Amino acid sequence: MLRRLWVNPYLNFSFRLTTALLLFLLAAWQLDLLPQGVISLLVMPALLIGGIDIPSAHWSRRIALGVLGYAGFAGLTAWIGVHAPEFTTLWFALLGFVLTSCSAFGNLAARLAMGSLTMAVIGLATGSLYPIWQLTLGFGLAVSWLVLYSALWYRLTGNMPLRQSLAETYQRLAALMIKRPEQLLDHALPVHFDEPLGIHLANCRRLLGSLGDPNKNGPLKNAFMLAVDMQERLQAVPDPELASKVLVNEGTYPAYRQWTRAVAARLHRIARDLQRGGEPSKSDSVTQFTDQFLQALEPMLARGGKEGMVANYMANNARQIERLVQRAAPLYQRNIKVEQSQSPWKKWRQMMVWSNPVMRGSVRMSLLLALGSEIGSLMPMDNGFWILSTVVVVWQASFVAIRSRAWQRAGGTIAGLVLALIALTAGVSGIWALLMAVVLVPISLALVTKHHGWTTVGVTLILMLAFEYNGMATTEVIIARMFDTLIGCLLVLGGYRYLWPQWQGGRQAQLRIDSLVSLNHYLKLLLQSFSGKEVAAIDLALARRAAYEQGIALNDSFNQMRQEPGFGRNVQNSTALLALYKGAMSHMNAIVPQVHKGLRLEAEEGQELCHLFDELADIMEQTSKGNIQPWPDSFKEREQWFYQRLESGNTDKSGFVLYQLSLVLQRYHAIHQILLQPAPKAS
């Protein structure tokens, strides 16, 4: 029971930060600086927003920038608020533009910048409490302690964040495996990519990169590559209709369902091994069920034709999945290639043009912070900094995310203030208020990654209790906090809705172009390999990864677009495009094992297919960019040649490859028909 609580990702996260906070407060109490220590720990929201307590690539550099940025911006803003308040609005307008534009450097840089902006607001709020040098030093010491304690925690717990992320990935894979028989039975295989799995894999890749050279961390690297191979095998469905016919019948379905459950149980076991700090154990528990499944497939294998090819593929795929989960290692060893990043300054300059959403978002944030600062200065109480803090915390990358965060922020704040008012009315004050706040800390921290609304309830109550301990909590402050939060939420919602809104429809055209380029490159490497050219395994893996990640991005953008105002007219085409894209990639994934086995097509076939798909890729990419290219009449003869070769060929491995490529061609034709119509627009 205790082990299960310890490895729970939410509770472990809470244990880590709660113990760090308690030790910091204990040290402050020993030095007779407890009130200053409580104020210094206001860095916690900025720490969570910036994410500098979580391992990442170049973590030491991010820690240094975080400590200097958090303390520096808090100190500078506190000085301006005390000694030059007339420049506060201009200062926040400048900070809003500069720090928001840091998103040009990537997601981690954007989070670090938003954390620094949060600290600037905290500096404004606390500038009059203590000498500015004490505040700056206290904030710097607090964030340094929290980050260093987290680093020690991870070292002692065996890279717990990566292990937890890998465990979540395996649990998601197990859930997908369990659902597969029913999906085939109902002819309802998902037509879109599974976003949670994509997010888990991206987190694992980022955390693995934080360990230095990822290729030197054998067990964890193997666990990650195994998950990547499992995702590829699950997505590789050669023909959904025939797969349902082969697997969903009285002879094969019971054995297939038992096999999927055995694989899912094995994936859960690997997840538990990783969570508990060990290496994934080897096991042959799936072998018996695989043998029974393959035995049930024998009548379908004997039929020949396309059904026989699909049945043969399913049998081989089952053996590959069995091998993956049995050995707890990837199908083939390959290094994780560390990508070379572009010059940060060059990336920033490229995005500082009005047509780029980063530029418009930076200007939007600058205006909102300036407006929030001015509104705060007109409020009857000197608590306008809560408007600014709400603007910073509610700010997200899309209107849908902002709308959700604003509702959660407003509701959570009101609920937290009501609870705080009840506690203060009941006489909770002084050291008892501080103790109550400390008790609530682990509960609130456990909810941070679960739900922003519930987290806001806890954080608001803790903040009011901390204010009470410092003699700052009054009914007027509570009322002001409520109204300031509502004003901040309305500012962000209105700003994103009416100030140069960046709707997801505006991203669809470019995402379609990028996705097709990635998919065509993946297919090109496959065809080159079948034609006899040497294609490195790492290059093929990177191409598959790029196509998959572009599909996830297209999928995520589409899901957000569906919830935005006025985009219902684009849903049908976008849904069809996503289904065709994923289907084409599934067929490509299905023939990847033949590449690793060294299969080669006949010289004439390989050369003709390379020419056919190269020309087709160029036509589709040009059409996606708005340069409409109709389906050439000359393609009809070449398609006819292709289908004749398929019909006259054998049902061996080469025949299966041609069969899958013919399905890719059909899906490409359908994608081209969609591309002939205009892509969704930004407004």
Side-chain angles (χ1 to χ4, degrees):
M1 181 64 179
L2 291 177
R3 178 184 288 272
R4 183 174 297 180
L5 292 175
W6 174 254
V7 300
N8 182 285
Y10 308 109
L11 295 181
N12 191 276
F13 176 86
S14 178
F15 292 156
R16 169 172 60 85
L17 291 180
T18 300
T19 52
L21 292 174
L22 290 176
L23 289 172
F24 188 86
L25 289 176
L26 180 61
W29 178 65
Q30 288 292 328
L31 296 172
D32 200 23
L33 295 172
L34 188 56
Q36 291 91 328
V38 172
I39 295 299
S40 297
L41 287 177
L42 291 177
V43 300
M44 182 60 73
L47 185 82
L48 298 176
I49 291 172
I52 60 173
D53 62 318
I54 303 297
S56 62
H58 311 294
W59 193 23
S60 58
R61 184 170 65 188
R62 292 191 71 239
I63 290 174
L65 289 174
V67 172
L68 293 175
Y70 284 15
F73 284 117
L76 283 172
T77 308
W79 187 91
I80 291 173
V82 172
H83 299 289
E86 65 275 13
F87 293 107
T88 300
T89 297
L90 180 61
W91 172 244
F92 273 102
L94 177 63
L95 282 183
F97 178 82
V98 173
L99 293 179
T100 306
S101 70
C102 289
S103 59
F105 306 138
N107 180 60
L108 291 177
R111 291 187 62 183
L112 181 60
M114 287 298 102
S116 298
L117 193 52
T118 303
M119 283 306 303
V121 176
I122 292 172
L124 179 67
T126 58
S128 60
L129 298 180
Y130 298 104
I132 292 173
W133 70 268
Q134 286 188 15
L135 283 174
T136 305
L137 180 61
F139 289 141
L141 290 174
V143 71
S144 298
W145 163 250
L146 292 172
V147 172
L148 293 176
Y149 183 85
S150 296
L152 178 63
W153 182 280
Y154 298 143
R155 181 174 291 275
L156 295 177
T157 56
N159 299 310
M160 182 64 77
L162 175 56
R163 290 181 175 277
Q164 290 172 338
S165 187
L166 285 169
E168 290 174 348
T169 304
Y170 280 102
Q171 289 164 359
R172 185 61 188 172
L173 287 168
L176 295 176
M177 181 64 75
I178 284 289
K179 293 178 182 177
R180 182 58 58 87
E182 283 71 21
Q183 291 170 347
L184 288 170
L185 181 64
D186 298 333
H187 297 274
L189 281 175
V191 296
H192 297 165
F193 291 92
D194 188 76
E195 282 188 52
L197 179 58
I199 293 172
H200 291 325
L201 287 172
N203 286 339
C204 290
R205 192 182 301 277
R206 175 178 58 81
L207 291 169
L208 192 61
S210 71
L211 303 181
D213 184 356
N215 299 303
K216 293 182 179 179
N217 299 280
L220 296 180
K221 172 209 165 186
N222 281 342
F224 171 69
M225 301 308 292
L226 189 160
V228 171
D229 286 349
M230 273 296 301
Q231 183 276 325
E232 179 186 287
R233 293 299 90 218
L234 279 176
Q235 190 189 339
V237 181
D239 188 325
E241 290 300 321
L242 279 182
S244 295
K245 187 175 181 180
V246 167
L247 297 176
V248 182
N249 58 69
E250 294 181 359
T252 57
Y253 185 73
Y256 176 61
R257 185 173 58 181
Q258 288 182 345
W259 174 75
T260 57
R261 290 178 177 177
V263 172
R266 176 68 183 135
L267 291 171
H268 279 299
R269 177 63 189 182
I270 294 175
R272 286 196 297 272
D273 290 341
L274 288 166
Q275 280 184 322
R276 294 174 180 178
E279 296 183 17
S281 58
K282 297 181 180 181
S283 172
D284 59 357
S285 60
V286 179
T287 303
Q288 174 188 352
F289 297 97
T290 306
D291 292 340
Q292 293 173 358
F293 173 44
L294 267 56
Q295 185 177 0
L297 275 177
E298 288 180 358
M300 305 302 297
L301 291 168
R303 291 188 180 185
K306 292 181 179 179
E307 289 184 12
M309 285 194 290
V310 170
N312 184 64
Y313 169 80
M314 290 298 180
N316 290 330
N317 199 45
R319 282 297 185 196
Q320 287 188 320
I321 291 176
E322 177 203 356
R323 179 185 171 195
L324 280 169
V325 298
Q326 177 178 332
R327 300 188 310 138
L331 290 173
Y332 61 98
Q333 290 292 339
R334 68 270 195 193
N335 287 332
I336 298 177
K337 191 172 182 179
V338 180
E339 300 177 358
Q340 299 297 323
S341 59
Q342 189 181 5
S343 166
W345 175 241
K346 185 177 181 180
K347 289 171 63 176
W348 187 86
R349 285 186 300 170
Q350 288 177 345
M351 294 190 181
M352 288 300 102
V353 292
W354 189 250
S355 60
N356 194 288
V358 173
M359 175 66 171
R360 296 198 301 274
S362 301
V363 174
R364 188 188 300 119
M365 175 63 91
S366 176
L367 292 176
L368 290 179
L369 288 177
L371 183 58
S373 177
E374 285 298 305
I375 293 175
S377 67
L378 299 176
M379 300 295 284
M381 295 191 65
D382 189 21
N383 290 313
F385 52 82
W386 276 324
I387 297 177
L388 300 178
S389 68
T390 300
V391 170
V392 174
V393 173
V394 172
W395 186 265
Q396 298 291 299
S398 69
F399 177 75
V400 173
I402 286 176
R403 184 175 59 192
S404 174
R405 179 64 68 92
W407 279 108
Q408 293 175 8
R409 182 76 175 181
T413 298
I414 293 173
L417 291 175
V418 169
L419 292 175
L421 188 60
I422 293 173
L424 297 180
T425 304
V428 178
S429 61
I431 192 65
W432 293 107
L434 181 60
L435 290 175
M436 185 175 178
V438 170
V439 170
L440 290 171
V441 165
I443 300 173
S444 300
L445 288 174
L447 296 170
V448 165
T449 55
K450 291 288 288 183
H451 193 277
H452 181 72
W454 288 111
T455 304
T456 304
V457 174
V459 170
T460 301
L461 180 54
I462 291 170
L463 189 62
M464 290 297 104
L465 292 171
F467 278 7
E468 168 61 26
Y469 175 75
N470 284 279
M472 300 164 56
T474 63
T475 303
E476 291 78 10
V477 169
I478 291 176
I479 295 174
R481 170 70 194 270
M482 180 180 68
F483 280 106
D484 288 349
T485 298
L486 295 177
I487 291 171
C489 289
L490 291 174
L491 275 178
V492 178
L493 283 171
Y496 206 100
R497 178 65 178 85
Y498 298 107
L499 292 178
W500 320 291
Q502 178 59 32
W503 302 120
Q504 290 298 318
R507 297 183 62 211
Q508 283 285 303
Q510 187 60 47
L511 283 173
R512 289 181 176 189
I513 295 171
D514 296 340
S515 299
L516 287 174
V517 169
S518 298
L519 191 65
N520 289 332
H521 179 60
Y522 182 30
L523 178 59
K524 183 177 182 178
L525 292 184
L526 289 171
L527 292 172
Q528 286 179 349
S529 178
F530 290 132
S531 299
K533 295 182 180 179
E534 289 296 328
V535 176
I538 184 64
D539 292 334
L540 185 61
L542 286 174
R544 194 204 73 85
R545 170 190 164 189
Y548 174 69
E549 290 180 348
Q550 284 296 330
I552 291 290
L554 192 65
N555 198 101
D556 177 63
S557 176
F558 168 69
N559 286 336
Q560 294 185 47
M561 186 183 74
R562 289 192 302 177
Q563 303 175 61
E564 293 176 346
F567 284 107
R569 61 185 181 274
N570 298 308
V571 169
Q572 186 173 359
N573 279 346
S574 296
T575 299
L577 180 65
L578 266 172
L580 292 167
Y581 182 94
K582 184 187 178 186
M585 192 174 177
S586 294
H587 301 315
M588 296 178 198
N589 287 346
I591 57 179
V592 166
Q594 305 307 325
V595 172
H596 297 313
K597 293 177 181 178
L599 177 69
R600 298 291 184 266
L601 298 176
E602 294 181 7
E604 180 187 359
E605 288 177 340
Q607 187 176 10
E608 185 63 26
L609 287 173
C610 283
H611 290 323
L612 173 64
F613 280 103
D614 280 347
E615 292 181 26
L616 182 54
D618 183 64
I619 289 173
M620 293 176 64
E621 289 174 18
Q622 290 297 323
T623 303
S624 68
K625 294 175 182 177
N627 183 17
I628 302 300
Q629 300 285 323
W631 197 266
D633 292 334
S634 60
F635 268 32
K636 294 180 180 179
E637 295 181 3
R638 302 172 73 176
E639 289 179 70
Q640 189 66 28
W641 168 86
F642 184 21
Y643 292 129
Q644 287 177 353
R645 299 286 292 194
L646 176 62
E647 293 298 329
S648 62
N650 298 322
T651 57
D652 55 6
K653 295 178 180 178
S654 297
F656 178 75
V657 170
L658 291 177
Y659 171 40
Q660 293 305 297
L661 291 175
S662 71
L663 295 177
V664 172
L665 182 59
Q666 291 176 18
R667 293 186 183 274
Y668 267 32
H669 200 162
I671 290 175
H672 179 263
Q673 295 301 310
I674 294 176
L675 295 177
L676 292 175
Q677 305 175 43
K681 297 181 180 179
S683 60

